[in-house]
Amino acid sequence: MIRLLLADDQALVRGALAALLDLESDLEVVAQVGRGDEVVEAARASGAEVCLLDIEMPGLTGIDAAAELRRELPGVRSLIVTTFGRPGYVRRAIEAGASGFVVKDTPARQLADAVRRVHSGLRVIDPDLAAESLIDGPSPLTGRERELLTYALDGSPVATIAARVHLSEGTVRNHLSAAIGKTGATTRSEAARIAQDRGWL
Amino acid sequence: MIRLLLADDQALVRGALAALLDLESDLEVVAQVGRGDEVVEAARASGAEVCLLDIEMPGLTGIDAAAELRRELPGVRSLIVTTFGRPGYVRRAIEAGASGFVVKDTPARQLADAVRRVHSGLRVIDPDLAAESLIDGPSPLTGRERELLTYALDGSPVATIAARVHLSEGTVRNHLSAAIGKTGATTRSEAARIAQDRGWL
DNA sequence: ACCTCACCGTGACACCTGTCATCGAGTGGG
DNA sequence: CCCACTCGATGACAGGTGTCACGGTGAGGT
């Protein structure tokens, strides 16, 4: 009997996944949480062996939750289950110590198998995403560039961004210009979108 | 026995919802599709009585699929099940003839009840969303403004948008300026984001 | 010690963007 | 019929934006 923890901010999806996995005779959902920062505590209390983690969650990212699990409960394995198969996500998930990465597009019947493999110590990674993540390479963005791009995501004017990070307007423009060059974009909005698509933010 | 059709582009979520609903003794999932433009055909072939429709789907929106169902198979009821509880979505869903609107944040155990109510002819609408949708009013955007805003969503330069719709650059700027005023924004990117949040696109 | 690189800043320049005034054509309601 | 509204367009202007050149600091590697 493999003991599972589910972390997803959408209650309906969480409950549905629980129903799906409980159909398997060798799987048992022992905990469910809707926030990233509740994962470790719930995992400890429930004695979960495998944690299925969504990435977009309030409190803490699924990837960050996987890193925390690695530190606090090294015996627990984590499997990222997410909507967005962004190349950078795969890389960061593996670096955070996750044992698997599955997108929500995969057929439902394959999920239980992925869980079993992760539980037995194998790595489960979507082959297409692994390839993309390799050819793409790691993020070329510096810390500042990444930070400023996240603020540029909604199309804020440079002045607003500069005020938010307490920097000169010219400096912000320069960092963003560098980011635009690295992403191959022509405007900061486009650069921000591209960076997000690749999981660089 | 209520016969259900599930439409959601994420196979895992679709399968999980099927597992969840099949646990109920009076419900039966008789069809599953991953595209909006396959809904009507599948509903006809399977004899579904209630269709659970996601909004974001390839081919056709869940809302548009509900409208098509209304026309082609008036006896079939539709229940929108979506991630985003945008006020404009609720309004458009009801206008399209949907009988219910539920966000994926709601507890899993409430879904089956929602399905039963819809099947018995009642309307099921998230009360918070209904209120928001009322105070918000309908979209103030004209057709052109809405169209141009969708192209502005990714931060494209005005010149690119103008070329795409075969309009003068100045005209595009004027329409976008109007949209910026109506949304209370200061840039077209912000206006586009606000309009999308309210379900005006 | 030297080099590299990320970081912060200034100034200048060409270009893009948002706003406003103004025009004409078409549509539908009172 | 006239009015209100949308749509398309032009021109002009202030201000925002992207790029480049240049300078300076500090951390880390050789």
Side-chain angles (χ1 to χ4, degrees):
Chain A
M1 207 61 150
I2 305 177
R3 301 169 66 80
L4 303 177
L5 176 146
L6 294 188
D8 194 309
D9 59 333
Q10 297 183 324
L12 201 50
V13 175
R14 207 167 61 227
L17 283 175
L20 177 72
L21 292 166
D22 270 335
L23 290 181
E24 306 290 324
S25 55
D26 57 336
L27 305 183
E28 183 185 11
V29 176
V30 295
Q32 293 187 31
V33 299
R35 302 179 48 87
D37 48 12
E38 293 172 356
V39 169
V40 169
E41 189 188 336
R44 200 191 320 261
S46 64
E49 299 165 89
V50 178
C51 295
L52 281 75
L53 307 173
D54 190 18
I55 291 188
E56 277 86 6
M57 279 188 294
L60 203 67
T61 295
I63 293 178
D64 292 334
E68 243 189 30
L69 276 174
R70 192 69 173 172
R71 275 202 314 275
E72 308 277 333
L73 304 167
V76 179
R77 305 190 192 277
S78 22
L79 172 61
I80 303 288
V81 183
T82 184
T83 305
F84 306 102
R86 293 170 178 156
Y89 278 179
V90 180
R91 171 179 301 268
R92 276 157 54 197
I94 300 306
E95 286 171 359
S99 299
F101 195 102
V102 174
V103 290
K104 287 185 180 168
D105 268 340
T106 56
R109 44 195 332 146
Q110 289 181 15
L111 183 63
D113 271 343
V115 170
R116 290 189 195 99
R117 286 193 199 164
V118 165
H119 179 256
S120 70
L122 297 172
R123 278 203 196 293
V124 178
I125 297 166
D126 195 294
D128 295 345
L129 287 180
E132 257 190 276
S133 156
L134 281 178
I135 61 171
D136 230 56
S139 167
L141 301 175
T142 69
R144 269 301 192 204
E145 285 160 6
R146 195 180 58 246
E147 182 189 5
L148 296 183
L149 273 186
T150 62
Y151 290 131
L153 260 178
D154 56 3
S156 305
V158 172
T160 306
I161 302 178
R164 179 128 57 146
V165 294
H166 306 294
L167 283 180
S168 143
E169 213 168 305
T171 302
V172 171
R173 278 214 299 262
N174 282 342
H175 282 304
L176 287 177
S177 185
I180 290 171
K182 288 177 183 176
T183 52
T186 55
T187 66
R188 64 178 183 290
S189 301
E190 194 189 350
R193 210 177 36 75
I194 291 175
Q196 195 182 42
D197 276 354
R198 302 201 184 152
W200 290 350
L201 303 184
Chain B
M1 206 59 152
I2 304 177
R3 301 170 64 81
L4 304 177
L5 176 147
L6 294 187
D8 194 310
D9 58 334
Q10 297 183 324
L12 201 49
V13 175
R14 208 167 62 227
L17 283 175
L20 178 71
L21 292 166
D22 270 335
L23 289 181
E24 307 288 324
S25 55
D26 56 336
L27 304 183
E28 182 184 12
V29 176
V30 296
Q32 293 187 31
V33 299
R35 301 179 49 88
D37 48 12
E38 293 172 356
V39 169
V40 169
E41 189 188 335
R44 200 190 321 260
S46 62
E49 298 165 272
V50 178
C51 294
L52 280 74
L53 307 173
D54 189 18
I55 292 188
E56 276 86 6
M57 278 189 292
L60 204 66
T61 294
I63 294 178
D64 292 335
E68 244 190 28
L69 275 174
R70 193 69 174 174
R71 277 201 314 275
E72 307 277 336
L73 303 167
V76 179
R77 306 191 191 278
S78 22
L79 171 60
I80 303 287
V81 183
T82 185
T83 304
F84 306 102
R86 294 171 177 156
Y89 278 179
V90 181
R91 173 179 299 269
R92 277 156 55 196
I94 300 306
E95 286 170 0
S99 299
F101 195 102
V102 174
V103 290
K104 286 183 180 169
D105 268 339
T106 55
R109 45 197 331 149
Q110 290 181 15
L111 183 63
D113 271 342
V115 169
R116 290 189 195 99
R117 286 191 200 165
V118 165
H119 179 255
S120 68
L122 298 172
R123 276 202 197 293
V124 178
I125 296 167
D126 194 294
D128 295 344
L129 288 179
E132 258 190 274
S133 156
L134 281 177
I135 62 171
D136 229 56
S139 167
L141 300 175
T142 69
R144 268 301 191 203
E145 286 161 7
R146 196 180 57 246
E147 180 189 6
L148 296 183
L149 274 185
T150 63
Y151 290 132
L153 261 179
D154 56 4
S156 305
V158 171
T160 306
I161 303 177
R164 180 128 56 145
V165 294
H166 307 295
L167 284 179
S168 143
E169 213 168 305
T171 303
V172 171
R173 279 213 298 264
N174 282 341
H175 285 303
L176 288 177
S177 185
I180 289 171
K182 289 176 182 173
T183 51
T186 55
T187 67
R188 64 179 183 289
S189 301
E190 193 189 351
R193 210 176 36 76
I194 292 175
Q196 195 183 40
D197 276 355
R198 300 198 185 155
W200 290 350
L201 302 184

